[in-house]
Amino acid sequence: MSLPSLPLADDDRHDILVEGEAALTERQQAETRFWLQVLKVHRLIFDDLNSALLSGAGLSIAKFDVLAQLYRFRDGLSMSELSTNLKVTNGNVSGLIARLQKDGYVTKTVAPGDRRSFRAAITKEGLAVFQKALLLHRGETARKLRNIPLHEIERMASGLKHFSEEIIDSETESAKAAE
């Protein structure tokens, strides 16, 4: 017996079951629909946004996100602070910083007081390319969301923020309980 294939984001099936598993509950179906819609919205925006940033400023979304953090923190950030802020591994940050440094957009220096740690900071060239990319980012995001009323955008952003906070709180509680 072959197992059912995973549904695509456009698929209305929510019945992917492990062999012998009972039918999904209403909540499980809703959770699956939610996840599939998050993926679909991400795909619909991400690809065009990434293309716009690459063609218009030579930056991927990943590089843009690093520069956005360094733009906010002009005195620079440690690699671990960047990792935490971006919610990626130290290895990912190190690779991105190396590429941005090669592009001339970031400097990397030894952290004062700890010769094993490094800090990254945005350069003048990095500021210029980030500001250009920021305008492209805003323009592409506005284009993608142009037909959605402001109140719906605000409602959805608020709802997703609430979901994020609930997930973080739940994971924090679980971690404390495990101690």
Side-chain angles (χ1 to χ4, degrees):
M1 177 171 114
S2 67
L3 296 175
S5 63
L6 290 175
L8 300 173
D10 297 332
D11 196 335
D12 282 335
R13 293 178 309 138
H14 307 288
D15 59 349
I16 300 171
L17 303 174
V18 173
E19 199 165 322
E21 182 181 27
L24 296 180
T25 66
E26 188 176 332
R27 180 178 180 91
Q28 289 170 321
Q29 290 179 26
E31 290 166 349
T32 301
R33 282 191 304 273
F34 168 78
W35 175 244
L36 292 174
Q37 289 306 312
V38 166
L39 289 176
K40 183 176 183 178
V41 169
H42 177 271
R43 186 184 74 236
L44 289 169
I45 295 173
F46 184 92
D47 292 342
D48 288 344
L49 182 56
N50 198 50
S51 292
L53 290 175
L54 281 169
S55 65
L59 295 177
S60 64
I61 287 178
K63 285 182 174 182
F64 175 86
D65 288 345
V66 171
L67 290 179
Q69 287 296 313
L70 297 175
Y71 184 81
R72 289 180 60 219
F73 298 94
R74 300 293 177 89
D75 292 334
L77 291 169
S78 70
M79 298 297 113
S80 62
E81 289 169 326
L82 266 172
S83 296
T84 299
N85 291 359
L86 294 169
K87 311 229 180 332
V88 299
T89 66
N90 288 339
N92 285 348
V93 166
S94 293
L96 285 165
I97 291 299
R99 291 190 295 280
L100 286 165
Q101 193 175 11
K102 184 179 174 189
D103 295 337
Y105 301 150
V106 167
T107 60
K108 181 178 168 184
T109 57
V110 175
D114 186 357
R115 300 183 80 52
R116 297 171 297 153
S117 297
F118 295 94
R119 291 185 67 77
I122 196 166
T123 64
K124 286 183 183 180
E125 294 83 6
L127 283 171
V129 77
F130 174 74
Q131 290 175 342
K132 179 179 181 180
L134 182 58
L135 294 174
L136 293 166
H137 190 290
R138 288 180 182 154
E140 185 60 26
T141 303
R143 187 183 75 75
K144 287 299 215 177
L145 301 177
R146 69 188 175 278
N147 293 327
I148 302 171
L150 174 61
H151 72 275
E152 285 190 39
I153 294 170
E154 289 173 338
R155 181 180 58 81
M156 186 58 61
S158 177
L160 289 171
K161 180 180 180 187
H162 174 72
F163 278 27
S164 296
E165 290 167 351
E166 288 294 324
I167 292 168
I168 291 167
D169 289 348
S170 174
E171 289 177 353
T172 301
E173 288 174 20
S174 294
K176 286 180 183 176
E179 291 176 352

